[in-house]
Amino acid sequence: MESGKRAEAGPSAGVSEDKQQREEREMSEKPLADEVCDDHEDDDDDDDDDKKDGAGALAGFVPGPLLSLKEQIEKDKDDDSLRRWKEKLLGCVEEDLNGQMEPEVKFHSIGIISNDLEEVSYPLPLDLNREGLVLFTLKEGSQYQLKLTFSVLHNIVSGLTYSNTVWKAGLKVDQNKGMLGTFAPQREPYVHVLDEETTPSGVLARGIYSANLKFEDDDRRCHMELKYAFEIKKNS
């Protein structure tokens, strides 16, 4: 009987042992599967965090500090060829730079180009003793362009724009806006001709007009605001 019991116990023990081994093997494999899933979930969380961090970094982007031209040149002062290239590109040499951060646009003259008269130019600032500041007289229906001479000092001026607003008898009758561009300091003045305009025609169009010409950069710095007048006469 004892041997029979031992015989019966033998297979039972073997079955239990096999079952225990399978359970241990399954238990050993299960955490691995859970770790893989957890890794994927962590990856998803990391991706979300990266997206959030990226969005936050983009929303809170702060541009680098504004450097004066003198600082930009001095960054490579040990490299003579690179320094000379920068000076040639900027049209200036190191002794012309004073380290000032803010750019300055200095206007030298304003002129008029028209098929009605020869080119006329006036130095700026205008002579306030001129009666009514009437700069020019044009015939009705004629084309003309304003011509400006200016220099850029201290630093690069970015996105220089102009607006020219015209009034007659206190009523605004016209306004033109345009982009001049981005300019670096250079020794020679810049010469820029504004877009062509056409004077109105008719009896009511004749007379004296007042105008306001304004120049701003993309930081909304006003570099010049010029008030002047012009007259339109009959085309005879």
Side-chain angles (χ1 to χ4, degrees):
M1 295 290 297
E2 292 178 358
S3 62
K5 290 181 180 180
R6 283 195 298 269
E8 292 174 359
S12 175
V15 171
S16 299
E17 184 177 357
D18 293 340
K19 183 178 180 182
Q20 184 177 358
Q21 290 176 352
R22 286 198 302 270
E23 289 176 351
E24 289 177 355
R25 184 169 62 252
E26 291 173 358
M27 290 297 292
S28 65
E29 293 174 354
K30 188 174 181 180
L32 180 62
D34 288 344
E35 287 177 5
V36 171
C37 292
D38 289 340
D39 286 344
H40 285 302
E41 292 175 358
D42 291 340
D43 289 343
D44 293 339
D45 292 340
D46 290 341
D47 291 341
D48 292 338
D49 291 340
D50 290 341
K51 291 177 182 178
K52 291 177 182 177
D53 292 341
L58 207 59
F61 171 75
V62 178
L66 178 66
L67 296 177
S68 67
L69 292 183
K70 185 175 182 180
E71 289 176 315
Q72 294 183 44
I73 290 179
E74 286 181 346
K75 286 174 62 177
D76 304 292
K77 63 181 179 181
D78 295 332
D79 189 331
D80 290 339
S81 60
L82 185 56
R83 179 178 54 82
R84 287 194 299 269
W85 176 79
K86 286 184 178 181
E87 290 175 353
K88 182 178 179 181
L89 179 67
L90 296 173
C92 57
V93 293
E94 197 168 352
E95 54 265 24
D96 294 331
L97 305 174
N98 58 9
Q100 182 173 325
M101 293 287 192
E102 301 294 331
E104 178 185 351
V105 181
K106 184 177 181 180
F107 289 86
H108 303 296
S109 66
I110 181 171
I112 176 77
I113 303 172
S114 173
N115 53 0
D116 285 348
L117 65 160
E118 296 180 357
E119 182 176 333
V120 181
S121 182
Y122 300 95
L124 295 173
L126 293 175
D127 182 5
L128 298 180
N129 294 323
R130 288 180 59 86
E131 184 178 357
L133 292 179
V134 176
L135 291 185
F136 50 88
T137 300
L138 296 172
K139 295 179 181 180
E140 55 184 348
S142 60
Q143 288 77 36
Y144 71 97
Q145 292 175 284
L146 294 179
K147 179 180 177 180
L148 292 132
T149 304
F150 61 92
S151 297
V152 176
L153 307 174
H154 311 310
N155 212 333
I156 296 172
V157 61
S158 178
L160 188 63
T161 62
Y162 77 90
S163 63
N164 190 33
T165 308
V166 180
W167 293 267
K168 187 173 189 292
L171 297 177
K172 185 167 75 171
V173 295
D174 191 26
Q175 184 177 46
N176 289 310
K177 297 181 179 181
M179 169 69 72
L180 274 69
T182 296
F183 303 90
Q186 65 177 24
R187 287 182 169 175
E188 295 298 323
Y190 290 98
V191 178
H192 195 93
V193 179
L194 303 187
D195 294 338
E196 186 178 79
E197 300 183 43
T198 303
T199 60
S201 300
V203 176
L204 297 179
R206 300 165 195 162
I208 295 178
Y209 293 75
S210 61
N212 186 58
L213 182 60
K214 188 175 182 179
F215 294 86
E216 291 183 331
D217 61 24
D218 57 6
D219 288 323
R220 302 307 299 272
R221 281 185 291 257
C222 179
H223 293 280
M224 184 181 73
E225 188 167 7
L226 175 67
K227 299 181 185 298
Y228 67 98
F230 63 94
E231 185 178 5
I232 297 177
K233 288 187 174 182
K234 182 178 180 180
N235 188 3
S236 54

